Structures are given as C-alpha cells and as structure tokens.
Amino acid sequence: MEKFILPDIPNLHNIDVYEQHGGYQALRKALQMKPDEVIDEVKKSGLRGRGGACFPTGLKWSFMPKGNDKAKYLCVNGDESEPGTFKDRQIFEFNPHVMIEGIIIGCYAMGIPTAYIYIRGEYRKWIKMVDQALADAYAKGYIGENILGSGFSTNVYTHSGAGAYICGEESALMNSIEGERGYPRVKPPFPAQKGVFGMPTTINNVETMSNVPLIINKGAEWYSKIGVAKHPGPILVGISGHVNKPGVYEVPTGVTLLTLINEYAGGVPNGKKIKAVIPGGSSTMILRGENLEGICMDADSLKAAGSSVGTAGLMVMDEDTDLVRVLSRISHFYHHESCGQCTPCREGTGWLEKMLHRFEHYEARTEDIDMLENVANHIEGNTICALGDAAAWPVQSFVRRFRDEFEKRVKQENTVAA
Amino acid sequence: MLTQENLKKVEALYKKYPNKKAALLPVLWIAQEQEGWISEEMMRYIGDLLEVPHAHVLGVVTFYTMYKSKPHGKYHIEVCTNVSCMLRGSDKIRDVVEKHCGAKFGETSADKKFSVSEVECMGACGGAPMIAIGEEYYENLTAEKTEQLLSSLK
C-alpha cells in the first residue's frame, strides 16, 4: 500500500521537501471551507483516535463549543509512554509537518487559537526537531497571525513532560500543562466543557492529527475506503520483541496479526513458534499464539478476539518466553507509574507486583493464582482514570489464558524443610 | 540563581501560557540544564519567580522522575528493562552497565563519573535493547557494543 503518514521520501522533515510533495495544500483547501464543513469531512472519513480508545475524531471535535469568543485549546498527545509503543517518535523525526498541518486544520475547524503538543520528556532530541519544524512553519506563515491571509490565527507550542506515564491520560496531561503534578481529573466535566486552564479543550493523539491532511486532500469518501469500514485509514503498527525486523510499519487497518509478524516483521527468529502476542501496548490483553489465525489489526477484530487495538504496539513472544516474568515486569511498571490518587490502584498495583514476584521466584501458593485475578478485578473500574484498568487487564488475561504457566511456579510443598 | 540568559528564556515562556504557574515544568527543565540538578534553594527561587508555593514546586519535582533533586554523576546511564527490551536481552546490558560503571541501579559511582538508573519504556522498542545517555538514545545494543560505548565516555 502507498504510505501517507511515513512515506519513503528522504528529508521530508524539511519544510521545502514537504511542500514539494504536496505539503500544506490540505491547509489551503481547509481554509477555503467553512469550519463546520471541515469537521463534517473528518466525521465522514470515519477516522478514529490512534491513542488507544479509538474514539471517532470528528465527533470529538463536534463537542467543542462554537465561536471564537473565549479561549479554547487543542492538546496534542505525544506522551507516548505505553510500553511497546514507538510510532509518534517516527512522525516527530521523519514527518513532523504532516502532524503540524493536521493541528492547524483542527484548530481552524474548532476555532482554537492555541495548541500544545505535549511530548514526553525523554524525547528531548525529538522535541527540538518538532520545535524546528514549528519555527519553519511560522516562518512560512502557516502558523501565527492571519494564516495565509485567511483571517484565522493560531499558535502552536511544544510542552515537554518530565517522566510520567500517567501524563498520557488526557486529564493528567492537561494538569501537567498547567504546571501541576500529573493527576487525572474526575469526569465530568469533560474536556470539551472544562479542560486545560478551565477552558474547552480537545485532546488528540499525534498520529490522529497526522491523518487529517490526508482526509482533507483526498476527501472523506476516499479515506473511508482504506482498510476496514468501521475503523478505516492507515495505521502505524509498532512491532517489537521476538521478530527478525522490529520496527514501525504503516499499513491499512485490518491487516492480520500473522501477516504483520511474518511478512512485515520477517517472522520469529530461528523459526520458533509464537507463544503469545500483546497486540496494542502493554495494557491490552495477551493472546495465545496458536489462536492468532484471522485476527486483524483493527478495533472490532481485536475486540472480538478478547483484546483491543490500543496503540497498535504489537509485542511478540516466542515459545521460550517466561510469561510469568513478563507479567511481573508489566506489573512493576504499573505500580511504578500509578499516580497514587486512588486506593485500589495505588495499593492494588503494589500487591500485584509483590505476588508476581513470588511467582517469578517459585514462592507462590496455589491460591495465589485466583488471588491475582481477584486483586485485578477489584482495581478494574474502581479508579478515576484508566490506569487501574490498564494494570488489571494484563493480569486477568495472562492468568486466564496461560494458567498453566502460573501453576508451574507454585512452591512445591515437599521441598519445604521439615 | 538562573542566569540572565535563562531568565530571558523564562520571559519568552510566559507568552506560551495564560499564567505563570504553567511555566513551571519548562522552567524546571531550564534550571536542571543549567545546574545538572534542582536543589531546594533553586526550588524556592523558582517558586518565588513563578509565584507558586514552595510545597507545590517540591511536589512537582518529586512527582516527575526526570527531575533530579540530588546531584548526579557526569554521565547518566538509563537502561530500559521493560518488556520489549527484556525480550531482546536487556539483562545482559544491565550487567555490562553496572559492572563497567561500578554502580547499581539508583547509584552513582564513587568517582562521580556515572549515575545508573533503570527506566521504564523509552519508546524505542523497535531498537531494543536500548540505553539512553543524557539526551541520546543508543539502540540495537549487544553486550560488546555497550561495553565499547561506555569505554568511549571520557
């Protein structure tokens, strides 16, 4: 398939090269349209958010109050901290202008005068790349006052995080922009009513915004025919773990996981079997290797298979993988990253980590297997934000789908000293 | 506390946000780049500068893992041990780093040359295993490559 988000064009980060390949034509076109027409086009395209929740982007945009009479904000989520996810970094490095163009179009559609691109602090080098791209876009009149003589003005800034997974949660991200700790907020109020600085706000993922110029250029109808109908468009899939060619691959939605692993990523090293895959970043439910036939990288297919598309960060594990250790590492992560506001998450993630440590070291008891699931079930749905769920889902799915791996780690009674 | 040049950067930051408090994270970055870490004195100074209470500044500094509230070694070696790196051999990388630097995770070497940390996923899973040194990412590492890299740091 032709690639649109990360095409193979050298030096595309350079604004002149980007323009030579049709860059900023979508912005010109959008500025000729009425803002509502732009929102309708994005709605009709079927674009769904690429940050994990798959929420329809045009619908989200339509929640914003109309008019330019008060401050409104767009926050673009480039926190990218979900283990197994490394796609937005590719956009920052190789095609930052497609994201910037999408942001300006989004600001025009929603009448937003200020946008922040929130980028994780570890990406300091890439923040500088985006800052350079923004400076180039300002110099060409694509951002700032009276963009291309349209009378529309908007500013776009980067905002650096400083090491906190939770800031990828949209309300924590807004607090982080406000100079606060990254604590998620209780909803409602929803961001479109009361977001960053108390003003109406839309939050979209970096990759989501990077799809917008394509929709405006080629039209919603054309875009909606890429991939599967209910979750269309190109999608960036990050493949890591036990594959010969790990990396980010741009594909239409709906490509099978086995095609991604065997054809795009070159298969599993040494011809080993796939024991398991985590399809969409560490918080999505694990799938058994022998059950992958027919499962595709799109929202509905993965939901039907008992997982989710998440951030399309596909982690592949071969037959020799110690899954107990993998889950132990995942639980260590969520314990470390819990912000500490909600008791079930703050305490529960700690218990999960401790219990999994016991399994890892053959110290567990048989009843601990059910207790793991029990603790996870008591975190799920009982917290302000989805980090609690994200910590629970891996535990539930590992235990349910690979119970034998945990049974093997129970301490043998006959080895206890008399 | 902040240099005149950095104070100018702070002034420029105020234009990005509707209030001074929102400049806290970027101002802490500026302070850390200037001093290598953020002392309590610096936190108080920044609190006064941005008109936010000291307790708030302290809360933010300690919430975010990248702000350093104590001095670090000349080189900060960060080793990712999360799943994608673990699957591709970050255990070996960890061993090489800890041995070469003479410091375990969370420690600084006696000669203050190296600080070594375990970090969560850095978004470089396609190049696993990886380490970061300062702003630079080093990907697709082997034990040998890691040893060479660390030996090249003077």
Side-chain angles (χ1 to χ4, degrees), chain A residues 166-188:
Chain A
I166 192 60
C167 289
E169 195 281 336
E170 61 179 18
S171 61
L173 182 148
M174 295 190 293
N175 275 339
S176 188
I177 291 175
E178 290 184 20
E180 298 276 346
R181 284 173 287 180
Y183 278 177
R185 301 175 181 176
V186 178
K187 295 176 205 175

Side-chain angles (χ1 to χ4, degrees), chain A residues 73 83-86 89 116 120-126 128 157-163 167 176-183 197 240-243 246 315-317 321 325-326 329-330 332-333 336-337, chain B residues 15-19 21-26 29 33 56 59-60 63-67 78 80-84 86-88 91 118-128 130 134-137 139-140:
Chain A
Y73 294 94
T85 313
F86 49 105
R89 202 185 96 187
Y116 297 107
R120 64 180 300 180
E122 290 84 351
Y123 284 178
R124 299 212 65 66
K125 229 175 86 176
W126 290 272
K128 287 174 188 166
Y157 307 113
T158 56
H159 182 94
S160 171
C167 289
S176 188
I177 291 175
E178 290 184 20
E180 298 276 346
R181 284 173 287 180
Y183 278 177
F197 305 113
S240 64
H242 295 142
V243 289
M315 294 190 270
V316 180
M317 288 160 263
T321 308
R325 189 168 177 223
V326 170
R329 186 63 188 80
I330 289 174
H332 170 73
F333 170 76
H336 183 260
E337 300 299 338
Chain B
K15 295 192 189 93
K16 285 170 68 168
Y17 306 102
N19 61 48
K21 189 183 79 177
L24 178 55
L25 268 73
W29 274 114
E33 271 159 26
H56 181 81
V60 167
F63 183 87
Y64 294 93
T65 56
M66 293 185 77
Y67 294 131
E78 298 178 293
C80 176
T81 61
N82 210 303
V83 176
S84 299
M86 189 178 98
L87 292 172
R88 294 182 77 90
D91 286 353
E118 175 178 52
V119 285
E120 295 300 347
C121 183
M122 299 283 272
C125 319
M130 67 82 70
E135 291 184 10
E136 285 296 324
Y137 278 25
E139 303 180 40
N140 297 305

